[in-house]
Amino acid sequence: MEPIDALTEIAELLERERSSRYKSAAFRKAAAAIEGLSPAELVDAAALRRRPGIGDRTFAVISEALDGRVPAYLADLRERRGVVVPGHLRAALRGDLHCHSDWSDGLTPIGEMVDAARALGHEYLALTDHSPRLRVARGLSPERLRAQLDEIPAFTDEGFTLLSGIEVDILDDGELDQDDDLLERLDIVVASAHSKLRMPRAAMTRRLVAAASHPRVDVLGHVTGRLVEGARGTRPPSEFDAAAVFAACASHGVAVEINSRPERQDPPDELVAVALEAGCLFSIDSDAHAPGQLSLIDYGAERAERLGVPPERIVTAWSLEALREWTGRERT
Ligand SMILES: [Zn+2]
Ligand SMILES: [Zn+2]
């Protein structure tokens, strides 16, 4: 196999299993370091080993690939990846409305997210970097978001559309952490709570109902905030009146996100049932922070299918045209 393909696939698999970002970054850096090298340059082992961006492990991967073998490190990762049998629903998905780039806390530039989305066969992807208050995630100030908006159109062509967007923080009182006129300009607004997740039930209900009722919100992100596994440990779901929150989503045409990250699995099964009953739309999103995580929608699709969510109520199974019609809906 081509060394660059081996390095890239390793990076993607490390991202998908949510290893330390430094690990996958090393493989991405090595792939960039050998991009454009001639075959003669690649086989010059001594020169290659000295090249910036190539370390012992990445050098070994390149050598094994050049020898015509599947590098052992890659073989291990492939085996660990396991098999998610993609059901009908996964095949019906056409895009993703929630991901991050290195403008906020994502691992790579926008272009690498777009390349990975295209490789998955997506027709569209919304870039939804964080909002200003989320400082730990380098949330975008209004100025930086405006600058990002200038870059977005260049990633769209006949076969693929990069939608502009934001994952805007829901503040304690239910207000959104970005200027309304700027939210107005975006294709997709995902609203999520990232702080004070243990608020009393009544206050949390008011907060989420306010967010779901905001005229610029399209998707309510990882609604309970729970963490069920993984490096960050676990966290119980926020407490709120789910029937009231999902009723607000349904009446404002806001989609409830089915967050595909295995550590989130948000909303929990029983709340997906409440949202279904309330008549909500859904958006199956990856919340990818690296290219290799866009494929995590496999898990969200598997859950949605198991829970009986009909494809016609999943906005990410819609054509771009239908999606645009929905985002352009009459807002109240
Ligand atoms: Zn989030
Ligand atoms: Zn996110």
Side-chain angles (χ1 to χ4, degrees):
M1 73 189 301
E2 294 294 332
I4 195 161
D5 295 338
L7 294 167
T8 306
E9 188 179 340
I10 288 172
E12 287 188 347
L13 288 169
L14 287 167
E15 288 158 6
R16 186 176 155 102
E17 65 177 35
R18 289 147 295 126
S19 301
S20 141
R21 58 198 288 137
Y22 302 105
K23 258 192 187 172
S24 66
F27 288 92
R28 290 205 172 272
K29 205 167 145 204
I34 64 167
E35 198 175 2
L37 292 188
S38 67
E41 286 171 310
L42 269 178
V43 296
D44 182 348
L48 189 66
R49 184 62 194 83
R50 284 196 307 271
R51 196 168 274 277
I54 307 293
D56 289 338
R57 186 168 279 167
T58 49
F59 177 75
V61 166
I62 296 167
S63 309
E64 289 170 70
L66 285 172
D67 288 346
R69 285 177 285 150
V70 173
Y73 194 75
L74 174 57
D76 270 359
L77 283 169
R78 280 181 177 171
E79 203 176 297
R80 277 219 298 272
R81 183 185 194 275
V83 190
V84 182
V85 181
H88 301 297
L89 195 51
R90 172 63 190 89
L93 297 183
R94 296 180 178 218
D96 191 336
L97 300 184
H98 184 169
C99 80
H100 302 272
S101 72
D102 64 0
W103 281 68
S104 66
D105 60 348
L107 183 74
T108 69
I110 301 169
E112 291 183 38
M113 296 301 287
V114 167
D115 289 347
R118 285 173 191 271
L120 275 183
H122 284 352
E123 292 167 31
Y124 50 85
L125 172 70
L127 179 65
T128 56
D129 278 312
H130 289 286
S131 64
R133 298 276 182 105
L134 213 55
R135 290 219 181 80
V136 286
R138 300 205 318 122
L140 273 60
S141 64
E143 295 68 37
R144 288 182 67 225
L145 180 54
R146 272 188 212 100
Q148 186 183 64
L149 279 173
D150 292 339
E151 316 252 312
I152 301 288
F155 295 101
T156 289
D157 63 22
E158 275 161 56
F160 179 85
T161 300
L162 182 65
L163 299 163
S164 63
I166 187 172
E167 180 180 16
V168 66
D169 237 47
I170 305 173
L171 304 176
D172 299 355
D173 57 1
E175 293 288 306
L176 302 183
D177 180 31
Q178 191 49 278
D179 301 347
D180 276 349
D181 63 322
L182 208 38
L183 294 178
E184 209 53 70
R185 286 180 58 193
L186 301 169
D187 294 318
I188 296 292
V189 175
V190 177
S192 317
H194 294 102
S195 58
K196 295 261 178 72
L197 299 179
R198 310 252 40 82
M199 235 179 209
R201 181 182 160 96
M204 195 58 160
T205 302
R206 280 196 299 276
R207 182 183 182 188
L208 294 177
V209 166
S213 309
H214 190 289
R216 265 311 303 149
V217 171
D218 299 302
V219 178
L220 193 59
H222 51 69
V223 63
T224 78
R226 74 169 180 172
L227 292 176
V228 294
E229 61 169 55
R232 286 194 284 165
T234 61
R235 183 164 66 205
S238 298
E239 285 176 30
F240 53 88
D241 178 348
V245 171
F246 295 144
C249 288
S251 77
H252 294 278
V254 168
V256 173
E257 177 179 75
I258 294 180
N259 190 295
S260 301
R261 297 185 69 90
E263 74 273 29
R264 287 196 181 275
Q265 302 180 35
D266 204 357
D269 291 2
E270 59 279 14
L271 289 198
V272 171
V274 176
L276 260 178
E277 180 66 30
C280 293
L281 296 170
F282 295 87
S283 181
I284 297 180
D285 296 331
S286 66
D287 195 357
H289 285 67
Q293 292 171 0
L294 288 166
S295 65
L296 292 176
I297 55 167
D298 295 352
Y299 296 108
E302 187 276 324
R303 283 187 70 222
E305 186 163 342
R306 179 163 48 75
L307 297 171
V309 181
E312 57 276 15
R313 276 170 60 182
I314 300 169
V315 298
T316 45
W318 294 352
S319 67
L320 180 63
E321 198 188 351
L323 191 84
R324 292 255 195 224
E325 219 164 279
W326 166 62
T327 60
R329 70 196 180 275
E330 198 66 34
R331 313 286 187 126
T332 46

